[in-house]
Amino acid sequence: MALLIINANEVVTLASEKKGPRVKEEMAEINVLQDVAVLVAEGKIVEIAPLEQLKSEYAALVESAEVIDAKGQIVLPGFVDAHTHLVHGGTRENEFNMRLNGATYMEIMNAGGGIHYTTTKTREASFDELYDKTYAHLNTFLKHGITTVEAKSGYGLDWETEYKQLTVAKKLQETHAVDVVSTFMGAHAVPKEYKEDSDKFVDIVIEEMLPKVAEQGLAEFNDVFCEHGVFTPEQSRRILLAGKALGLTPKIHADEIEPYEGAELAAEVGAISAEHLLVASDEGIRRMAEAGTIAVLLPGTAFFLRAPFARGRLMVDSGVPVAISTDFNPGSSPTISLPFIQNLACLNMGMTMEEVITATTINAAYAINRGDEVGSLEAGKKADIVILNVPNYKQMQYFYGMNHTHTVIKGGQVVVKDGVLV
């Protein structure tokens, strides 16, 4: 069935002649249209134009279309969350209380908590338990206007559990309205049993896990946590290049807790993105700009851990393409509210209202290699559309900490209406 969205106060298209992620002043060019309608058919955007023009050029289609009246509201591309740890077992609210009492992230992790605790819970959970829990989370993503989500593994640290996480994500891609894009992150932490010989675990990731991921088509990307006490830059380089040789595009958790040349490594290996970057060096930022590596910044993690925020303003001004994401995970960012993450990027990373829209639509789409399909409203692209119950896009950030989502259209189908799943 065709859809026709009419009477919107603003249609924010993100359309541009440029292909690829937006940089510098391009990030503020969100292309706001007024007095236009959006015509959708067969899951794709047909045209965005004044209503009378659409009636003239697509008379039969307009006549048969279901009409959505967006009076007093705004229309945008469906949001893209380019960094999550979606499939996991357990929760870690007790650790949150420990941090409030002074414990650091690494102290908790080294004491057997953190990633290791979630690894235990994920290993214990059945496929169906993980599937049902994650399906419910995806429903919440959808109600926040998020139509595409990246999902990392990494809470297995053994092949059996990594496989379980990846196959849960694969099934969800087939069964849930939200598109789920998979990243293999077997190198998320060093398992306790390899604490004294991390190189041996690196060998297992490279020689045993990565070939199976690639052969079975379980993921598109390969990520590693390059950090003091986790994986060294040299170990990370080995893992990323091994995955790249198998056709898996590199990503990297970089410079989150201490400067560790992660941003530089991302540029060196041709990573599509470097993520976190709370303490990335000036040189690393410069090299990322030169390489076109996308910075996926995660202000919710800094907020929740009470850490310094990434230097988003500097990165934008330096020519690094910037995306922002929830980093939804049970330890350092247990939130699905991408709207709140947008607020944090404005208030704590110096980004403008327009830049955070770009960072959660077209740049986020390019960070997971989906920029040709989603992230902007243009003829021929997938009809992933969100209608927000505000009269102009600036109120998205002005009314902070709120979910303004009214209607969500995924692939041309209305899946959320009046804020409720259809």
Side-chain angles (χ1 to χ4, degrees):
M1 175 183 287
L3 296 176
L4 182 66
I5 305 171
I6 63 171
N7 293 332
N9 276 21
E10 297 175 346
V11 177
V12 183
T13 70
L14 278 297
S16 172
E17 294 182 357
K18 176 180 178 176
K19 301 301 180 186
R22 314 291 160 75
V23 297
K24 292 188 173 180
E25 64 277 358
E26 296 168 352
M27 287 193 63
E29 297 169 0
I30 58 176
N31 197 17
V32 181
L33 303 180
Q34 296 176 319
D35 301 317
V36 296
V38 182
L39 182 60
V40 170
E42 297 181 356
K44 300 290 183 70
I45 297 169
V46 176
E47 191 70 79
I48 301 171
L51 180 56
E52 292 305 314
Q53 179 181 333
L54 294 178
K55 287 180 177 179
S56 174
E57 296 180 5
Y58 305 96
L61 204 53
V62 169
E63 180 67 25
S64 66
E66 175 187 342
V67 175
I68 297 175
D69 191 343
K71 185 176 182 179
Q73 301 174 319
I74 66 172
V75 177
L76 300 97
F79 295 124
V80 177
D81 197 335
H83 178 128
T84 82
H85 298 264
L86 184 67
V87 182
H88 61 263
T91 56
R92 282 156 49 189
E93 61 272 17
N94 290 335
E95 290 179 16
F96 177 46
N97 195 40
M98 290 172 64
R99 284 205 307 277
L100 293 177
N101 283 283
T104 68
Y105 180 81
M106 291 304 292
E107 284 172 348
I108 292 170
M109 182 173 170
N110 290 335
I115 291 171
H116 296 300
Y117 179 83
T118 301
T119 296
T120 298
K121 292 300 182 181
T122 307
R123 287 177 177 180
E124 291 173 351
S126 69
F127 179 97
D128 288 343
E129 288 170 339
L130 290 176
Y131 176 86
D132 291 344
K133 178 182 179 180
T134 309
Y135 194 99
H137 286 321
L138 285 175
N139 285 345
T140 306
F141 274 106
L142 204 56
K143 288 189 284 187
H144 282 79
I146 301 159
T147 53
T148 302
V149 171
E150 184 253 20
K152 302 180 190 293
S153 67
Y155 288 128
L157 309 183
D158 60 29
W159 173 244
E160 181 182 4
T161 314
E162 292 292 314
Y163 176 81
K164 181 169 59 177
Q165 284 187 271
L166 291 168
T167 51
V168 166
K170 187 173 184 177
K171 183 177 178 181
L172 287 164
Q173 163 62 13
E174 297 167 353
T175 59
H176 200 281
V178 174
D179 280 333
V180 178
V181 179
S182 286
T183 295
F184 171 66
M185 198 178 179
H188 194 191
V190 179
K192 294 178 183 178
E193 55 268 35
Y194 294 100
K195 187 175 181 180
E196 303 304 320
D197 191 359
S198 60
D199 282 332
K200 185 173 182 180
F201 180 67
V202 170
D203 290 340
I204 290 171
V205 171
I206 291 172
E207 296 170 10
E208 299 180 20
M209 296 190 189
L210 279 169
K212 293 177 183 177
V213 172
E215 181 181 347
Q216 297 179 45
L218 294 173
E220 185 173 339
F221 303 98
N222 176 37
D223 202 341
V224 60
F225 191 3
C226 181
E227 184 62 61
H228 283 285
V230 192
F231 296 99
T232 68
E234 179 53 38
Q235 290 172 328
S236 300
R237 181 182 291 106
R238 288 182 59 209
I239 291 167
L240 294 176
L241 291 179
K244 191 173 183 179
L246 293 167
L248 298 173
T249 302
K251 287 179 170 286
I252 182 171
H253 278 50
D255 303 321
E256 178 183 0
I257 300 169
E258 298 179 42
Y260 207 36
E261 298 186 357
E264 291 90 332
L265 179 60
E268 175 194 328
V269 302
I272 192 170
S273 63
E275 327 210 342
H276 284 291
L277 301 170
L278 274 65
V279 290
S281 69
D282 291 349
E283 176 64 12
I285 292 170
R286 185 189 68 78
R287 291 193 193 179
M288 284 180 60
E290 286 183 352
T293 305
I294 299 171
V296 180
L297 305 182
L298 312 168
T301 307
F303 174 78
F304 197 68
L305 297 180
R306 297 186 292 185
F309 285 78
R311 295 184 290 170
R313 178 77 267 139
L314 175 64
M315 293 183 198
V316 173
D317 292 342
S318 299
V320 177
V322 172
I324 58 175
S325 166
T326 62
D327 188 21
F328 173 59
N329 75 81
S332 60
S333 189
T335 184
I336 288 172
S337 179
L338 191 56
F340 179 57
I341 298 303
Q342 293 174 330
N343 302 151
L344 290 178
C346 287
L347 294 169
N348 293 284
M349 297 198 311
M351 294 177 68
T352 68
M353 295 176 174
E354 296 82 5
E355 288 166 348
V356 300
I357 291 174
T358 297
T360 49
T361 55
I362 192 65
N363 276 11
Y366 275 110
I368 53 173
N369 198 30
R370 294 298 185 275
D372 291 338
E373 302 173 22
V374 298
S376 62
L377 302 180
E378 301 180 73
K381 277 197 166 184
K382 187 181 291 187
D384 287 4
I385 302 169
V386 60
I387 301 175
L388 302 184
N389 198 21
V390 289
N392 61 72
Y393 75 85
K394 293 178 181 177
Q395 287 198 8
M396 293 169 60
Q397 307 311 324
Y398 172 70
F399 289 110
Y400 73 94
M402 298 169 64
N403 180 17
H404 302 292
T405 304
H406 181 275
T407 301
V408 180
I409 298 164
K410 177 62 183 174
Q413 301 292 318
V414 176
V415 290
V416 174
K417 186 175 183 180
D418 293 330
V420 178
L421 293 171
V422 175

